[in-house]
């Protein structure tokens, strides 16, 4: 059976991408084609598949350890290799641009937080991305607090036009208050 067909079938039966990868790899297939098959089955664009797998090929896929298929699948999933890109509206793309500006104005965002933000941008989970930034304070020496809070205020105003989540309203109020203090 073709790897992509098997991956699609496995995913359609409720398996996670990590589990699907592990199944394909346990059948004796090389790691890279297994990861590619799962990505294709998830309808991730080819150029994005190439970029994502190039980033982790040497560390995870080039020389697999015996019986590590499940672990490798979990790591690939945690890295966002299997994240399905969302189709963003123009407003959502504007919010992503604003949040990216806020990240730049922060001054020193932790790598793990930055990675999480990139995954949320990719998957269209902008509410979570926004809320995570509103709880983080910019560094005055290396960042730009004024830009940070005013940009988050603008992003929050856009998000609240389409999302009635009360957490957004609270976070927006917090950002406005922080912007007036800087």
């Amino acid at each position: 059976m073709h790897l992509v067909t098997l991956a699609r079938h496995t995913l359609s039966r409720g398996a996670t991408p990590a589990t699907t990868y592990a199944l394909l790899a346990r059948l004796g297939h090389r790691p890279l084609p297994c990861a590619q098959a799962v990505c294709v089955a998830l309808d991730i664009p080819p150029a994005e598949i190439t970029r994502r797998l190039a980033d982790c090929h040497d560390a995870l896929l080039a020389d697999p350890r015996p019986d590590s298929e499940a672990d490798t699948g979990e790591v690939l999933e945690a890295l966002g290799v299997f994240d399905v890109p969302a189709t963003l509206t123009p407003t959502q793309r504007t919010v992503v641009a604003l949040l990216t500006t806020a990240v730049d104005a922060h001054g020193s965002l932790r790598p793990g937080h930055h990675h999480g933000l990139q995954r949320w941008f990719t998957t269209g989970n902008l509410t979570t991305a926004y809320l995570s930034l509103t709880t983080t304070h910019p560094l005055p020496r290396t960042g730009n607090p004024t830009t940070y809070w005013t940009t988050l205020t603008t992003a929050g105003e856009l998000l609240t036009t389409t999302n009635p989540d009360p957490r957004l309203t609270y976070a927006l109020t917090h950002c406005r208050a922080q912007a007036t203090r800087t």
Side-chain angles (χ1 to χ4, degrees):
M1 184 179 273
H2 190 265
L3 281 177
V4 174
T5 303
L6 182 55
R8 281 193 179 116
H9 175 74
T10 305
L11 290 166
S12 74
R13 308 282 283 171
T16 66
T19 303
T20 302
Y21 167 85
L23 171 74
L24 298 177
R26 280 191 199 110
L27 292 174
H29 301 287
R30 297 286 308 151
L32 181 60
C34 293
Q36 289 168 327
V38 174
C39 289
V40 170
L42 292 167
D43 294 324
I44 297 171
E48 187 64 15
I49 294 170
T50 301
R51 185 192 65 77
R52 291 178 188 187
L53 293 175
D55 288 347
C56 64
H57 180 268
D58 292 343
L60 290 173
L61 304 173
D63 188 28
R65 292 184 338 266
D67 300 320
S68 65
E69 299 88 357
D71 293 338
T72 301
E74 291 295 328
V75 171
L76 290 170
E77 194 164 306
L79 290 173
V81 170
F82 302 135
D83 286 352
V84 178
T87 303
L88 302 178
T89 66
T91 300
Q92 289 172 317
R93 286 194 299 274
T94 301
V95 169
V96 169
L98 289 165
L99 296 180
T100 301
T101 299
V103 167
D104 293 340
H106 183 274
S108 183
L109 205 60
R110 295 181 333 269
H113 192 177
H114 195 272
H115 173 71
L117 287 167
Q118 291 304 315
R119 291 189 70 192
W120 294 324
F121 295 163
T122 298
T123 59
N125 194 348
L126 304 185
T127 297
T128 302
Y130 176 75
L131 293 173
S132 76
L133 286 171
T134 63
T135 62
T136 304
H137 292 275
L139 301 178
R141 290 186 190 167
T142 57
N144 184 332
T146 302
T147 299
Y148 185 78
W149 292 115
T150 57
T151 303
L152 285 179
T153 298
T154 304
E157 289 167 349
L158 283 173
L159 282 170
T160 57
T161 63
T162 59
N163 187 337
D165 188 330
R167 298 174 303 161
L168 287 173
T169 304
Y170 175 78
L172 177 56
T173 301
H174 172 72
C175 289
R176 284 181 177 140
Q178 292 298 320
T180 61
R181 291 185 188 139
T182 58

